[in-house]
Amino acid sequence: MDVWTSGSLGYVPITKNASTSWVKVFRDLGWRQSQLDLVDPHMPLFGHFRDPIQRHFLGTAEFLVQNQLQHLVDNKSWQQVWARSVMDMHGYPITWAMGTHAQRCHWIPIHEKLDVDALTRDYLASHDIHIGEIPRLNQSYPRKKALYHQLVALHGQIDAHNHLSWFYDSDIVLWNSLFPYVDTHNQWHTVY
């Protein structure tokens, strides 16, 4: 797993969590790309974390669009497979990918009720890192957003037993542990 480092701080890019935009910021600042298993085990790490089930739907939409497979959403057999599976790296559970490293990471939650850019800037400033403009790369266009909403609705219809929670259980636990989120100014933020 990639880690972008500068001095004694590392950023862990997570797919479907604005990682393309943040990697550009850090690359432009001269941060170096490394691998999670190669960085100092005591190096502070941070990253962005969104609701795992929301990330799953975003990841599935990304997978379908990238592979020109949007038509599968209407296929009843595919729907049954999808309701019980993870499609690719865009939805792969973070805690599975990172193992024990996930617990040492300072996670900044992504949620529509939070100013993620401000929280990230403040966190970086607490490490004497100041950033300029944050680009908005890989934003979802209307068709991908519509596909995302179609997947959310479809899941509500076909997965009454919430099979996804089996895949994302440890990510869900981690997501729920982030709130209330306490920022670098000791301010509490919640989304509930």
Side-chain angles (χ1 to χ4, degrees):
M1 175 169 254
D2 285 349
V3 177
W4 287 81
T5 64
S6 176
S8 63
L9 183 64
Y11 164 70
V12 180
I14 302 294
T15 57
K16 303 316 304 170
N17 288 352
S19 61
T20 302
S21 298
W22 287 105
V23 164
K24 178 169 178 22
V25 167
F26 299 130
R27 180 183 292 128
D28 290 351
L29 288 172
W31 289 37
R32 292 193 177 102
Q33 184 177 12
S34 185
Q35 292 294 311
L36 184 58
D37 60 330
L38 299 177
V39 298
D40 181 333
H42 303 291
M43 174 184 280
L45 301 174
F46 80 98
H48 297 95
F49 204 99
R50 80 169 66 240
D51 178 296
I53 302 302
Q54 180 187 36
R55 182 172 168 267
H56 170 76
F57 297 137
L58 290 168
T60 301
E62 185 75 26
F63 168 80
L64 293 173
V65 168
Q66 281 185 347
N67 295 287
Q68 293 87 40
L69 296 172
Q70 299 93 314
H71 64 278
L72 288 178
V73 174
D74 298 319
N75 180 298
K76 298 291 184 195
S77 296
W78 179 85
Q79 291 173 1
Q80 292 304 311
V81 171
W82 169 71
R84 293 163 177 82
S85 63
V86 174
M87 299 278 89
D88 76 344
M89 68 175 205
H90 290 96
Y92 195 77
I94 296 167
T95 53
W96 290 7
M98 291 185 68
T100 57
H101 297 288
Q103 297 303 318
R104 76 181 247 226
C105 197
H106 174 86
W107 294 110
I108 299 170
I110 295 178
H111 193 277
E112 61 193 25
K113 293 183 180 178
L114 300 175
D115 186 342
V116 178
D117 290 353
L119 293 174
T120 306
R121 284 178 191 280
D122 286 348
Y123 177 76
L124 291 169
S126 74
H127 290 271
D128 286 329
I129 299 168
H130 303 281
I131 61 173
E133 186 175 336
I134 302 162
R136 296 288 174 240
L137 304 175
N138 292 346
Q139 290 190 25
S140 289
Y141 52 87
R143 183 162 164 78
K144 195 185 291 184
K145 286 181 182 178
L147 181 58
Y148 164 80
H149 290 295
Q150 185 179 0
L151 290 166
V152 170
L154 179 62
H155 182 264
Q157 297 167 6
I158 65 173
D159 191 9
H161 300 291
N162 197 16
H163 289 95
L164 288 179
S165 65
W166 289 94
F167 290 106
Y168 292 104
D169 183 58
S170 56
D171 278 17
I172 292 168
V173 169
L174 181 54
W175 171 252
N176 289 334
S177 76
L178 296 178
F179 298 102
Y181 178 74
V182 181
D183 67 21
T184 56
H185 302 295
N186 209 27
Q187 298 294 310
W188 286 35
H189 304 270
T190 187
V191 296
Y192 300 112

